[in-house]
Amino acid sequence: DGTDDAVFVKDRAGRYLLFNAAAERLVGRPAAEVLGRDDTALFDPPGAEQVMARDRRVMDTGRPDTAEETLTAAGVTRTYVATKAPYRDAAGAVVGVVGVSRDVTAARR
């Protein structure tokens, strides 16, 4: 919670396991409403599919990925630079995705 960047962790099904205070501010929803749910609860349908497809690619390849995403949440469209990486268990198996997103909307304007 000590960063202005959104930090999150999701399981293999795309359900949020961790959602920091910056993420709450960016999507306009408290973590209590987000944890255990997937991106369809946060973003418009095209945006949710875009995010989930990137998550699947990161989990399938086992490699980190950084990309810009423009998403609409709570009626507000913002642009983010998101870095996602595989979330691994103690044995090294990919069990989800961990990510950090920075709001770059103002810079893009």
Side-chain angles (χ1 to χ4, degrees):
D1 285 335
T3 180
D4 289 332
D5 293 339
V7 178
F8 55 88
V9 176
K10 301 177 195 176
D11 65 13
R12 281 204 68 91
R15 294 178 299 244
Y16 284 91
L17 304 174
L18 181 138
F19 202 73
N20 75 341
E24 291 177 327
R25 288 189 300 276
L26 291 178
V27 300
R29 308 262 310 265
E33 291 181 13
V34 174
L35 297 177
R37 301 179 81 186
D38 67 19
D39 292 301
T40 60
L42 297 179
F43 305 113
D44 66 345
E49 181 51 40
Q50 172 190 342
V51 170
M52 293 185 300
R54 275 194 62 221
D55 292 350
R56 286 189 298 270
R57 189 169 51 252
V58 167
M59 288 184 282
D60 291 347
T61 64
R63 292 191 322 241
D65 180 58
T66 299
E68 195 168 282
E69 300 171 332
T70 300
L71 303 167
T72 301
V76 178
T77 301
R78 291 185 172 102
T79 301
Y80 306 93
V81 172
T83 298
K84 299 178 178 185
Y87 179 50
R88 298 178 186 274
D89 65 12
V94 176
V95 295
V97 65
V98 59
V100 177
S101 292
R102 175 166 289 172
D103 186 348
V104 296
T105 306
R108 293 300 177 256
R109 285 189 194 131

